[in-house]
Every structure is written in C-alpha cells, then in structure tokens.
Amino acid sequence: MSAESFVHAADALRSGDRDRYLSTLVLTGAHRDAVTALYAFNADVASTRERVSDPAPGEIRLQWWSDALDGEGHGAVRQNPVADALLDTIARYNIPAGTLLRLLGARRFDLYDDPMPDLESFEGYAGETVSTLYQLAAMILNDGETIETGDAAGHLGVAHAMIGHLRGFGHFAAQGRIMLPWTIFAANGVQEGEIFAGTDSEGLSEALGQISELASGHLIKAETAIANLPAHLKPAFAPIAVLKAQYRLLEQRSRAPFAAAPDDADWRKITRLAWWAWRNR
C-alpha cells in the first residue's frame, strides 16, 4: 500500500462520482482517505454498465472485484490503486468483506435490461448499494468499531437512490432501462414502450410523483434518525444536504421527466455540505 493509491482513489472518485467526492471534503485525515477509497470502489462498480458493450464483460469485471475481496490474485490486485486503497481500508477499519460482496451481487442487476420489479425490490437494491455505503462510512468514522446507524443509513440510502434515479430517469429510459419500481408505473397505466420512447403522459407524471413522495418520506425519516446519532458519526451523512437541494430542484422543474435534471454548482454544494457539517457538530 502507498499513499499514492489514496491520491489515485481521490482522483478516480472526483471524476467518477462528483457528489460523493465533494461529500468527503467535510472529513479529515485518515478517515477521509478511507471513505474516499470506499466511494472510489463504489464508483468503479457503479459505472460498470456504462463501460461495457454487453453483460458478459460486466460480469467479468464484477467477478474481478469479488476475487479481490476474497483474497485471490492478491499481487495483481494490489497493482490497481483503487483496489490497493480499498484493501488497506478494509484491513485498517475491520470492514466486513461480505458486505461489499453483497453490494457487488446487487450491482449485477445493472448489467441487464430487466425493469426493477417493485418497491420492495428497489428498497433491497438501494439497501445493498447505497445504505451500505453510509453504514460503512459511519463505521470508519467510528475507527472500525461496529456501530448501529439503522434508520439513518437505511432511509437515507433509499432516498439517495430514488432521487438519483428520478434525476436520471431520461438517461436510463434512453438505454431501455427502468430502474424505479415498475409496479408503480403499471398501476398508473404506463406502458414500457412509452417510457423507452420518451413519451410523457398523465399516468407517468402521477407515477413519478408518487415515487417522489416516497423519496421525501425517506428523507424526512433519515433526517430525524441522523439527528439522534453521536456527533462524530454525523459527517458520514452530510450528503443529505445536497440530496435535499436536488429534491427541491426536481420538485420545481417544469413537467419534463425525460430532461436532464437541474443541479447546483459545485461551490454551492460545498457550501451546503460545510454548513450542514458545522450545524451538526
């Protein structure tokens, strides 16, 4: 392991997941490095679909990470700086590899075009791919000691995933993918073909509105749960400041579900994160 691996991980995160990179700026020292390594691993895994032409090479990439976490191909794995930084973080903070393996398992869904079946499936997916990251970031801030953040990580993870997929609805639709609960669309009379064709309708607006309300409910519950956490763990949940602003922008935009979602400039996000972290010390 070298300090250069953590520098590389930070660079990879900055380019691969800008919002999570900005959220690490409220952390300090070794904690920032470790959370950055965790998030850089996630950014690499989450972008697998975008970097492959079909599921087979995606499966190979996810299997590479699975082997790395299982300790196979150790020398070659360490030549990948993000993996090097992640493995050092796992060792230093007692991160359970099984939790990251479940994240990899959940991400296999991304490689295929099956619609997200229902709300329960979405919440399970969000739990394994997003709530897990909040839980592990809090564990890092707790110096590797297991900590129960339960409702905070659970609700914020689901809200984070819902807001992200509401913001990216048009992008995923253009790929022929439905990442939000299909049963909600079906219940409102929406057809798959309408979504893939970028066709707006009253039913689609109603479905997205219902999902938006669910996201709002999870945000509110997350905020309540975070307020009850020990102060030293709260910086792990600072992204809520950016998510709340992105949710408000979604609510304010004109009826254009397939359009690119509006967003704040980086400096405004940094200000929100810093202000939130200061208020929750």
Side-chain angles (χ1 to χ4, degrees), residues 37-222:
L38 175 69
Y39 287 172
F41 155 74
N42 177 71
D44 184 277
V45 172
S47 66
T48 301
R49 166 70 183 243
E50 306 289 338
R51 293 185 284 126
V52 298
S53 56
D54 60 73
E59 293 275 12
I60 292 171
R61 182 60 179 173
L62 295 183
Q63 186 61 49
W64 184 92
W65 274 113
S66 180
D67 291 345
L69 293 171
D70 280 335
E72 299 180 28
H74 195 265
V77 166
R78 286 284 185 173
Q79 294 174 18
N80 178 311
V82 172
D84 186 40
L86 177 67
L87 291 174
D88 183 71
T89 296
I90 288 172
R92 181 169 184 174
Y93 292 98
N94 303 314
I95 302 299
T99 302
L100 299 180
L101 288 170
R102 288 193 296 275
L103 183 153
L104 290 172
R107 282 291 181 188
R108 292 187 67 247
F109 179 85
D110 298 357
L111 303 179
Y112 301 91
D113 293 337
D114 301 323
M116 182 64 69
D118 49 38
L119 182 58
E120 182 180 7
S121 298
F122 182 88
E123 290 177 343
Y125 173 86
E128 297 288 12
T129 60
V130 189
S131 297
T132 285
L133 296 175
Y134 285 116
Q135 180 71 35
L136 294 180
M139 187 173 173
I140 289 168
L141 297 190
N142 206 42
D143 290 322
E145 295 295 325
T146 302
I147 187 73
E148 179 53 56
T149 64
D151 287 348
H155 286 300
L156 190 55
V158 175
H160 193 151
M162 280 187 173
I163 291 168
H165 284 294
L166 285 166
R167 286 170 47 75
F169 184 73
H171 170 76
F172 290 111
Q175 293 181 332
R177 302 167 69 194
I178 299 172
M179 296 295 291
L180 291 164
W182 170 246
T183 50
I184 296 178
F185 295 107
N188 285 280
V190 180
Q191 302 294 316
E192 276 192 8
E194 295 173 343
I195 293 177
F196 299 152
T199 303
D200 198 0
S201 67
E202 289 295 334
L204 180 63
S205 295
E206 183 65 26
L208 292 174
Q210 290 168 10
I211 295 169
S212 180
E213 288 177 10
L214 290 170
S216 177
H218 283 291
L219 272 180
I220 292 168
K221 291 175 182 175

